């Protein structure tokens, strides 16, 4: 790869109003941690870095393309019991699950990062911005818990006749608009009734639609 300055390695940063110098410092530290830990564990990438004020979770979404999420840790007041704290600290595996969900949804919406980059840097940056500027404000850390690591789906209990009618309707729609409709998913009151999408994409769609 050609040599690049640190700020050229930033494909997306939130919030975008952060001064470029601050962005450059943060990305430089993240790259330093990634490269340093690879020396000792090349086959198991870094997932967590924790300081007194922040915890960072790392995810290599595609080879050489990393997403890093930084969360502030709650301040611990002297003499105050931990159970009385107003802000709870999420465990890193929950934060990782949240980050992984976001990356899966990004891939579902925009495809491969490396393929976007084949067009040009600007196309990739615009795709990341259009996705994360909408997705990130919808992330609710106050209600996040261990169930976010499961990423399960609630299915709608239904009788055989109703299911077959639904499937028949979907088949007609997909046949009539076969050039436009690749696959279909049906949800009823946050319950999944039918999905013709692969399992991983179904989980991403379900999570995005029901847990916003």
């Amino acid at each position: 790869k050609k040599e690049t300055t640190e700020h050229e390695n930033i494909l997306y940063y939130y919030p975008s109003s952060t001064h470029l110098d601050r962005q450059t410092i943060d990305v430089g530290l993240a790259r330093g941690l990634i490269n340093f830990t690879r020396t000792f564990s090349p086959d198991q990438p870094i997932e967590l870095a924790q300081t007194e004020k922040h915890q960072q979770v790392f995810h290599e979404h595609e080879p050489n393309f990393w997403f890093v999420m930084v969360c502030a840790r709650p301040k611990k007041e002297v003499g105050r019991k931990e159970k009385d704290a107003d802000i709870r600290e999420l465990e890193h595996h929950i934060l990782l699950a949240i980050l992984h969900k976001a990356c899966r949804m990004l891939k579902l919406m925009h495809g491969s990062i490396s393929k976007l980059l084949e067009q040009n840097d600007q196309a990739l940056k615009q795709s990341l911005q259009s996705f994360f500027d909408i997705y990130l404000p919808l992330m609710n850390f106050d209600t996040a818990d261990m169930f976010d690591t499961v990423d399960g789906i609630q299915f709608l209990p239904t009788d055989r006749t109703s299911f077959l009618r639904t499937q028949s309707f979907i088949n007609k729609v997909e046949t009539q608009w076969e050039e436009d409709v690749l696959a279909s998913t049906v949800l009823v009151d946050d319950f999944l009734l039918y999905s013709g999408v692969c399992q991983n994409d179904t989980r991403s769609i379900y999570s995005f639609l029901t847990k916003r």
Side-chain angles (χ1 to χ4, degrees), residues 164-177:
L164 290 176
R165 285 178 178 174
T166 302
Q167 194 170 37
S168 175
F169 170 75
I170 292 172
N171 289 338
K172 289 179 181 178
V173 171
E174 293 181 349
T175 299
Q176 186 170 351
W177 288 284

Side-chain angles (χ1 to χ4, degrees), residues 13 19 24 27 29 43 81 85 96 101 109 143 164 191 202:
Y13 191 102
H19 195 279
T24 302
V27 171
L29 289 173
D43 299 325
K81 295 181 179 179
L96 269 175
K101 283 182 183 180
M109 296 288 191
T143 59
L164 290 176
F191 290 91
T202 297

Side-chain angles (χ1 to χ4, degrees), residues 7 38 88 97 117 160 178 181:
H7 76 272
R38 268 182 170 167
R88 65 192 177 98
L117 190 59
R160 178 181 175 84
E178 60 181 346
V181 180

Side-chain angles (χ1 to χ4, degrees), residues 83-150:
K83 66 179 181 179
D84 296 330
D86 295 329
I87 304 176
R88 65 192 177 98
E89 181 174 1
L90 293 176
E91 296 181 15
H92 82 275
H93 64 275
I94 297 178
L95 293 175
L96 269 175
I98 294 172
L99 180 58
H100 288 175
K101 283 182 183 180
C103 292
R104 287 198 301 270
M105 183 57 67
L106 169 67
K107 186 174 182 179
L108 178 64
M109 296 288 191
H110 294 278
S112 167
I113 288 180
S114 55
K115 287 185 178 180
L116 286 171
L117 190 59
E118 289 176 1
Q119 301 176 31
N120 54 66
D121 291 3
Q122 197 58 35
L124 174 56
K125 290 181 178 181
Q126 287 177 353
S127 295
L128 292 173
Q129 183 176 2
S130 65
F131 173 77
F132 281 112
D133 280 358
I134 295 175
Y135 189 91
L136 289 179
L138 297 176
M139 297 170 69
N140 190 347
F141 291 91
D142 293 332
T143 59
D145 54 31
M146 62 176 293
F147 291 105
D148 285 274
T149 65
V150 178

Side-chain angles (χ1 to χ4, degrees), residues 13 18 21-31 56:
Y13 191 102
T18 304
D21 288 345
R22 179 74 261 173
Q23 295 185 32
T24 302
I25 291 172
D26 291 343
V27 171
L29 289 173
R31 290 188 67 201
Q56 303 178 54

